Amino acid sequence: MLFREVIGHEELKEGLRRSVAEGRISHALLFAGRPGCGSLALALAFVQYINCTNRHDGDSCGECASCRKMQALEHPDLHMVMPVNKKNKKADEVILSDHFMGEWRQIVGQTGGYFSEQEWYDAIGLDNQQGNISTGDIGEMMRKLSFKSFEAEYKAVVIWLPERMKGEPANAMLKILEEPWDKTLFILVSESPEVLLPTIISRTQPYHIGQVAEGLIAEKLVSEGVAADKASQIAKLSGGDLLEARRLVDSEEESDENFALFVELMRLSYNNKHLELMGWADRVAKLGREPQKHFLENSIRLLRSSYMLHAGMNEICYLWGEELEFCRKFSPFIGNDNIETLVMEMERALAQIRQNGNANIIFTHFALTVSKQINPR
């Protein structure tokens, strides 16, 4: 992966280049951000840049032996750890990330490192199950790192979604970070860093991988065949997330369903229909984890847009059609007294879904809490 293949984040790239030039590379980095903002792509580009033998123009060359192997994810000094589980394996077999390297190379190659956790699980046939990073994976990583580097100056370990380490694996990882090997780089690529052990976070140098600029998202969509006007509108709605932008391009039907669920929730809340709200929560709880996340993310966007309309900031409210019509009528009920609480409740529900919480409990509590804020009677 080349730096120039990572969309945006020019200041962050410059900071990483400077750390290499000045010999100030931390032994452990935490790249925290949504997958559609490029956290994994940036991690892979940085590892390639460090070990490139012919860096120039602020990037790795892409042509030396090290770069070619890094780009193919076949470098002997690059180790990858990602969540997997026992699907399609014998019950007593130790399951390691290495068993899925073929699928990993394929999905990284196809997407450039921009893919979601669920897309990875789909690629390895986990359906709606959740993967984990096991003690076996940490032990295998330690075994590999105990050897001298084969070719590169730095041995590098990229751990994707370290929040899937629980209990013993997390404690083992903490011990490694406390007593690292010389010339060994760990990059933790996390979507939910708040789930990590605080002691692990304290032993890393954190980097927040923020939103990608709207213009860059639009340019990328146009390069993928989306009409310029549509690309510009979708980029505004994407929240600086390339995966969200692509999802909006591909799933107009899902967007309509999310909007319908949002409208129903707000109308039931306004009319204080508690029994109907329980039915609403039960239906949403039966959706898959990814559709639930998409619904909550879309609801946060609609709430914030309604607040902007209420505050008279129409010029930065990127809505049209039925969404604009509803949010204009709904905006008087969203103001300074409830916007922060509503968004906080939606973000809390989103975090709980990401942590694989019980959807029935989450959405029942969520619906009742929203109702109190929309109709405080």
Side-chain angles (χ1 to χ4, degrees), residues 233 237 304-306 308-309 313-320 324 327:
Q233 191 65 52
L237 298 175
R304 287 174 172 161
S305 296
S306 297
M308 291 175 192
L309 290 169
M313 297 183 286
N314 301 36
E315 66 279 1
I316 56 173
C317 177
Y318 306 122
L319 296 177
W320 74 91
L324 178 59
C327 288

Side-chain angles (χ1 to χ4, degrees), residues 6 20 28 41 52 67-68 91-92 100 104 136 158 212 234 250 259 277 284 322 346 351 357 369:
V6 181
V20 175
C52 175
C67 281
R68 289 198 299 270
D92 59 347
F100 299 89
W104 181 257
V158 176
V212 179
I234 287 175
D250 296 336
F259 175 62
L277 280 169
V284 177
E322 290 183 344
M346 291 186 175
T369 303

Side-chain angles (χ1 to χ4, degrees), residues 211-259:
Q211 299 179 355
V212 179
E214 287 177 10
L216 296 177
I217 293 281
E219 287 179 13
K220 183 65 175 177
L221 293 179
V222 169
S223 73
E224 295 174 354
V226 180
D229 289 347
K230 185 176 181 180
S232 178
Q233 191 65 52
I234 287 175
K236 293 175 181 177
L237 298 175
S238 69
D241 185 317
L242 179 61
L243 291 185
E244 176 65 10
R246 287 172 172 167
R247 187 184 67 80
L248 289 170
V249 170
D250 296 336
S251 58
E252 292 184 6
E253 182 178 343
E254 183 188 39
S255 296
D256 291 341
E257 292 173 357
N258 286 334
F259 175 62

Side-chain angles (χ1 to χ4, degrees), residues 4 155 266 269 298 348:
R4 60 178 173 270
K155 293 178 287 185
M266 296 307 160
S269 297
N298 191 60
R348 178 183 291 120

Side-chain angles (χ1 to χ4, degrees), residues 177-307:
L177 295 179
E178 288 175 336
E179 302 174 2
W181 287 268
D182 186 41
K183 292 290 185 177
T184 301
L185 173 66
F186 296 90
I187 304 183
L188 282 61
V189 180
S190 175
E191 184 177 354
S192 304
E194 68 277 2
V195 180
L196 296 173
L197 291 176
T199 44
I200 286 181
I201 295 176
S202 69
R203 285 159 178 79
T204 66
Q205 180 175 345
Y207 289 90
H208 174 65
I209 314 302
Q211 299 179 355
V212 179
E214 287 177 10
L216 296 177
I217 293 281
E219 287 179 13
K220 183 65 175 177
L221 293 179
V222 169
S223 73
E224 295 174 354
V226 180
D229 289 347
K230 185 176 181 180
S232 178
Q233 191 65 52
I234 287 175
K236 293 175 181 177
L237 298 175
S238 69
D241 185 317
L242 179 61
L243 291 185
E244 176 65 10
R246 287 172 172 167
R247 187 184 67 80
L248 289 170
V249 170
D250 296 336
S251 58
E252 292 184 6
E253 182 178 343
E254 183 188 39
S255 296
D256 291 341
E257 292 173 357
N258 286 334
F259 175 62
L261 285 172
F262 176 82
V263 170
E264 183 180 2
L265 172 63
M266 296 307 160
R267 285 176 173 164
L268 291 175
S269 297
Y270 174 77
N271 291 298
N272 217 22
K273 301 284 189 178
H274 285 172
L275 287 178
E276 289 86 346
L277 280 169
M278 296 300 95
W280 178 93
D282 183 63
R283 281 187 284 118
V284 177
K286 290 177 181 176
L287 300 175
R289 196 160 57 93
E290 287 300 304
Q292 289 166 353
K293 287 163 60 178
H294 294 159
F295 162 71
L296 289 166
E297 290 165 347
N298 191 60
S299 295
I300 292 170
R301 175 181 66 86
L302 292 170
L303 265 181
R304 287 174 172 161
S305 296
S306 297
Y307 177 74

Side-chain angles (χ1 to χ4, degrees), residues 2 8-9 35 73 85 98 175 177 185 208 221 245 330 334 369:
L2 301 170
H9 307 304
L73 300 180
N85 77 5
D98 284 353
K175 184 172 179 59
L177 295 179
L185 173 66
H208 174 65
L221 293 179
F330 178 60
I334 302 297
T369 303

Side-chain angles (χ1 to χ4, degrees), residues 74-92:
E74 294 178 347
H75 198 292
D77 294 313
L78 172 63
H79 309 293
M80 307 292 306
V81 179
M82 72 290 292
V84 297
N85 77 5
K86 292 181 179 295
K87 179 76 172 180
N88 298 328
K89 299 289 182 181
K90 296 179 181 178
D92 59 347

Side-chain angles (χ1 to χ4, degrees), residues 80-89 93-105 107 115 117 120-127 129-138 140 159-166 169:
M80 307 292 306
V81 179
M82 72 290 292
V84 297
N85 77 5
K86 292 181 179 295
K87 179 76 172 180
N88 298 328
K89 299 289 182 181
E93 186 177 355
V94 176
I95 306 302
L96 303 174
S97 298
D98 284 353
H99 296 152
F100 299 89
M101 278 306 298
E103 293 91 338
W104 181 257
R105 293 185 182 107
I107 194 171
F115 58 92
E117 182 177 6
W120 167 239
Y121 293 158
D122 291 342
I124 59 176
L126 296 193
D127 303 321
Q129 298 182 52
Q130 188 175 76
N132 62 80
I133 295 174
S134 67
T135 305
D137 253 323
I138 303 302
E140 178 63 12
I159 303 176
W160 186 61
L161 300 182
E163 52 265 37
R164 298 298 170 228
M165 292 185 294
K166 305 293 183 183

